[in-house]
């Protein structure tokens, strides 16, 4: 099949989405669509290279908000029926809200709109489905309570991206999630994969319900559910 896979800027279910994408890319022609935030967040979690390495297939392409400018010409392929499916996983609350209210001002929302016009089915994994708390994983973080503000910060000197500001923070827009810094701090002040609890907003849950009612859009709770669907498709 010819499949478009869109990544948006959610950290929750991101690793699972990349793992599912890797499995799909082995058997199908896949074009990757990256929102601006999706590109940033994949890098923060050290997953960007995994996506780039396997993107393409027959079309051999990776499309981003940055290179598609404002008209997103590549998304027109969906309205022409050149793809069999569009997968958006993970899908942020912001992406869901825009789709529900008919806004298509980004690469991913435009792809969904064009897929609808071309009667191409869209499979989405929203991160906000059920009310209540969820546990999610953070990218690398400088724990200030553990940081001794050393005169010579070894992790900051080793970081080739210049992402570590000693005694202050990790600049996640520079961080590529390589994890090299974690084991170099003598005070274990750098955490990776820390789990925090987040609470879903009612408005985001309501928008997901509206999304599920839209034509040619199916929602799933996890990327693995998408794989199960594809196995039977």
């Amino acid at each position: 099949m010819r499949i478009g896979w869109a990544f948006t800027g959610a950290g929750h279910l991101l690793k699972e989405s990349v793992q599912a994408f890797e499995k799909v890319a082995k058997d199908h022609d896949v074009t990757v669509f990256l929102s601006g935030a999706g590109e940033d967040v994949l890098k923060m979690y050290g997953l960007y290279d995994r996506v780039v390495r396997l993107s393409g297939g027959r079309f051999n392409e990776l499309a981003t908000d940055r290179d598609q400018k404002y008209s997103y010409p590549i998304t027109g392929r969906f309205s022409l029926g050149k793809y069999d499916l569009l997968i958006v996983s993970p899908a942020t609350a912001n992406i869901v809200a825009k789709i529900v209210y008919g806004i298509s001002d980004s690469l991913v929302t435009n792809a969904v709109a064009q897929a609808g016009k071309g009667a191409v089915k869209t499979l989405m994994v929203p991160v906000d489905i059920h009310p209540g708390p969820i546990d999610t994983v953070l990218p690398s973080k400088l724990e200030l309570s553990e940081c001794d503000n050393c005169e010579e910060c070894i992790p900051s000197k080793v970081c080739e991206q210049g992402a570590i500001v000693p005694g202050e923070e990790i600049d996640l827009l520079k961080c590529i999630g390589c994890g090299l810094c974690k084991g170099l701090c003598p005070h274990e002040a750098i955490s990776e994969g820390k789990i925090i609890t987040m609470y879903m907003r009612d408005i985001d849950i309501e928008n997901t319900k509206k999304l599920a009612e839209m034509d040619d859009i199916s929602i799933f709770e996890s990327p693995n559910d998408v794989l199960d669907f594809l196995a039977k498709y």
Side-chain angles (χ1 to χ4, degrees):
M1 285 192 293
R2 293 167 295 179
I3 297 174
W5 191 300
F7 291 94
T8 69
H12 186 57
L13 294 178
L14 182 61
K15 183 176 181 180
E16 294 88 342
S17 294
V18 171
Q19 291 170 338
F21 160 76
E22 288 172 329
K23 293 178 181 179
V24 171
K26 290 179 180 179
D27 300 319
H28 304 282
D29 295 320
V30 181
T31 299
V32 173
F33 295 81
L34 286 185
S35 72
E39 186 174 0
D40 287 342
V41 175
L42 279 169
K43 291 176 181 177
M44 292 174 194
Y45 282 82
L47 299 169
Y48 180 76
D49 288 342
R50 287 171 61 176
V51 170
V52 171
R53 185 171 63 249
L54 286 178
S55 64
R58 178 179 176 183
F59 292 107
N60 194 31
E61 290 169 308
L62 183 149
T64 67
D65 267 310
R66 174 172 30 84
D67 62 32
Q68 287 290 304
K69 304 298 182 183
Y70 298 104
S71 58
Y72 317 109
I74 195 173
T75 64
R77 294 177 184 172
F78 287 102
S79 59
L80 296 174
K82 292 186 177 182
Y83 290 92
D84 299 297
L85 285 172
L86 171 61
I87 300 171
V88 185
S89 178
T92 62
N94 182 54
I95 289 290
V96 169
K98 286 186 174 184
I99 293 169
V100 166
Y101 290 98
I103 299 171
S104 53
D105 63 348
S106 68
L107 177 65
V108 175
T109 55
N110 210 277
V112 174
Q114 294 299 321
K117 292 178 180 180
V120 175
K121 192 170 186 62
T122 297
L123 315 180
M124 298 187 64
V125 181
V127 295
D128 303 86
I129 293 183
H130 301 297
I134 61 168
D135 290 335
T136 190
V137 180
L138 292 178
S140 297
K141 185 178 185 301
L142 180 58
E143 304 290 349
L144 295 180
S145 60
E146 303 296 328
C147 178
D148 198 44
N149 201 16
C150 301
E151 184 174 338
E152 182 178 65
C153 177
I154 298 175
S156 69
K157 288 185 174 297
V158 171
C159 180
E160 296 180 355
Q161 312 304 317
I164 301 175
V165 183
E168 294 185 25
E169 63 180 9
I170 294 177
D171 185 342
L172 292 177
L173 292 179
K174 294 180 180 178
C175 178
I176 60 170
C178 66
L180 292 176
C181 59
K182 183 180 178 182
L184 295 176
C185 177
H187 304 288
E188 300 182 347
I190 298 176
S191 63
E192 184 184 29
K194 182 177 180 179
I195 297 176
I196 64 168
T197 300
M198 298 180 65
Y199 294 86
M200 301 300 96
R201 302 189 306 169
D202 290 342
I203 189 172
D204 297 328
I205 301 299
E206 188 61 32
N207 284 337
T208 298
K209 291 179 181 177
K210 293 177 181 178
L211 181 72
E213 296 171 355
M214 295 182 68
D215 293 339
D216 292 318
I217 292 181
S218 297
I219 67 169
F220 298 84
E221 294 199 11
S222 76
N224 284 333
D225 292 336
V226 172
L227 293 179
D228 291 340
F229 174 88
L230 290 177
K232 302 172 184 177
Y233 192 68

